[in-house]
Amino acid sequence: MVKNGNLHKAKSEKNDEFYTQLTDIEKELKHYKDQFKGKMVFCNCDDPGWSNFWAFFSLNFNHFGLKKLISTQKSHHCAVMAISVVMKPSVFCWNPIL
C-alpha cells in the first residue's frame, strides 16, 4: 500500500498546491521566539491571504517582538511579483500562541 498516494495523484493531476498547516508552524516556531525579536520576516508567497506563515507572524507580531513583516503578492492582472505588504506593530495582533 502506498502511503503517499495523495502526492502521486496530485502529480498526475498537476495539482501541487500544498500548504503548511498553521498548527505545524505554531509547534515549530514557538521554540524560536527569542531569535525573532527585533527581526524583519519576509514571507515569499503568492498571496498573504492564503499563507499560514503570514497568518502566524501577523497574529504573533508583538508577541515575537518583530520589527517588520513583509510579503510578496502575485498580481492577478499581470505576471509581476511585487512586495506588496509591509506591516509594523499593530493593535490587531492578539492571542499569542504561548
Side-chain angles (χ1 to χ4, degrees):
M1 182 168 126
V2 178
K3 292 186 178 186
N4 60 352
N6 61 332
L7 297 176
H8 291 294
K9 182 179 176 188
K11 181 180 178 183
S12 67
E13 294 176 2
K14 303 293 184 204
N15 179 14
D16 61 353
E17 290 292 326
F18 295 96
Y19 298 96
T20 306
Q21 298 297 311
L22 187 57
T23 55
D24 294 331
I25 296 167
E26 291 172 344
K27 287 178 194 174
E28 183 63 27
L29 293 185
K30 70 181 180 183
H31 301 290
Y32 301 98
K33 179 183 174 198
D34 294 338
Q35 285 81 5
F36 282 104
K37 187 174 175 109
K39 300 292 195 289
M40 178 173 49
V41 174
F42 176 73
C43 292
N44 184 18
C45 54
D46 289 343
D47 183 352
W50 288 93
S51 169
N52 284 328
F53 283 97
W54 176 261
F56 174 83
F57 284 116
S58 63
L59 290 174
N60 291 283
F61 189 93
N62 292 329
H63 181 69
F64 274 67
L66 296 179
K67 178 180 178 182
K68 194 179 286 186
L69 178 60
I70 301 173
S71 175
T72 56
Q73 183 169 358
K74 183 177 179 181
S75 173
H76 298 288
H77 304 292
C78 62
V80 175
M81 190 76 119
I83 295 176
S84 60
V85 181
V86 177
M87 182 179 153
K88 294 183 180 177
S90 171
V91 295
F92 79 87
C93 298
W94 54 277
N95 288 341
I97 62 162
L98 304 175

